[in-house]
């Protein structure tokens, strides 16, 4: 059959149980990481998840629905849940309403971009503000510097990988 000759990372039979899908995805990510010689420890099936051992309240600020879904799924693989804001104005309002440990902040958004939203949050909540991680498709050193100067605490490049997201969350001073 075509499946026998296909180069598949895994094969699941329907109906798919969520726990089996979760374990299979972690195994695939781990295998890819191992092939690339990566050093960041992403949890393997059966390992405690970072969200279980280090719970964090997270706000994902992202205008693109596909990016929202992908990032939320990556967070779930790490054991985290996230609230979502679709732009900088919504992020400011969410941070005003509720205390977050972390804000994952897209840089380019309509209505208010991530740089302006970060500056506002830093001014609004100087003592109790969340840690802010920039998420951007631009990987130029000047872009990173611009994010850090606005008050962001870290920076990851899109498309966001499980490994980069995990490493950024681990680097936070929480």
């Amino acid at each position: 059959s075509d499946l026998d000759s296909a180069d598949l990372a895994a094969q699941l039979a329907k109906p798919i149980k969520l726990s089996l899908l979760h374990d299979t995805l972690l195994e695939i990510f781990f295998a890819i990481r191992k092939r690339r010689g990566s050093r960041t420890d992403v949890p393997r099936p059966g390992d405690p998840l970072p969200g279980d051992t280090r719970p964090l309240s997270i706000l994902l600020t992202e205008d693109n629905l596909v990016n929202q879904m992908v990032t939320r799924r990556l967070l779930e693989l790490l054991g985290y849940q996230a609230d979502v804001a679709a732009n900088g104005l919504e992020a400011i309002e969410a941070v005003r309403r509720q205390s977050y440990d972390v804000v994952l902040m897209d840089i380019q958004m309509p209505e208010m971009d991530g740089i302006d939203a970060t500056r506002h949050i830093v001014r609004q909540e100087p003592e109790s503000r969340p840690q802010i991680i920039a998420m951007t498709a631009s990987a130029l050193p000047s872009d990173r510097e611009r994010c850090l100067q606005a008050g962001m605490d870290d920076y990851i490049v899109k498309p966001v990988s499980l490994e980069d997201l995990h490493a950024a969350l681990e680097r936070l001073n929480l």
Side-chain angles (χ1 to χ4, degrees):
S1 83
D2 289 340
L3 281 180
D4 294 335
S5 62
D7 185 20
L8 301 175
Q11 184 175 349
L12 300 172
K14 289 183 180 180
I16 298 172
K17 292 185 178 178
L18 189 56
S19 62
L20 179 60
L21 176 61
H22 176 267
D23 289 350
T24 303
L25 287 172
L26 283 177
E27 285 175 13
I28 292 168
F29 284 125
F30 181 71
I32 291 169
R33 247 184 51 247
K34 192 172 181 179
R35 274 199 309 269
R36 291 181 181 164
S38 173
R39 293 186 193 123
T40 304
D41 251 353
V42 174
R44 288 179 273 178
D47 287 353
L49 298 176
D52 297 334
T53 58
R54 186 182 182 211
L56 298 171
S57 60
I58 299 174
L59 175 66
L60 169 61
T61 307
E62 169 66 65
D63 64 312
N64 181 289
L65 289 176
V66 172
N67 290 342
Q68 283 178 14
M69 290 171 38
V70 169
T71 305
R72 285 182 83 184
R73 184 64 192 128
L74 293 175
L75 287 165
E76 287 171 10
L77 288 170
L78 295 170
Y80 296 109
Q81 300 294 315
D83 294 339
V84 175
N87 60 54
L89 291 173
E90 288 183 18
I92 290 168
E93 186 56 36
V95 169
R96 188 178 297 141
R97 276 193 325 265
Q98 179 178 333
S99 175
Y100 289 98
D101 297 312
V102 181
V103 175
L104 297 171
M105 183 74 76
D106 183 22
I107 298 303
Q108 295 184 341
M109 295 179 289
E111 308 220 15
M112 180 183 279
D113 69 19
I115 296 290
D116 289 338
T118 296
R119 287 183 180 132
H120 190 89
I121 290 168
V122 168
R123 277 194 313 269
Q124 176 181 308
E125 310 284 341
E127 299 300 317
S128 61
R129 76 172 184 85
Q131 300 277 296
I132 302 173
I133 300 173
M135 297 189 314
T136 180
S138 182
L140 297 174
S142 60
D143 294 313
R144 177 179 171 79
E145 193 56 37
R146 188 168 157 247
C147 291
L148 297 176
Q149 285 177 354
M152 294 179 175
D153 301 285
D154 207 341
Y155 176 99
I156 53 179
V157 178
K158 289 184 191 178
V160 176
S161 71
L162 181 66
E163 180 179 78
D164 290 345
L165 182 58
H166 180 248
L169 291 171
E170 288 292 309
R171 285 191 299 265
L172 295 176
N173 298 321
L174 294 173

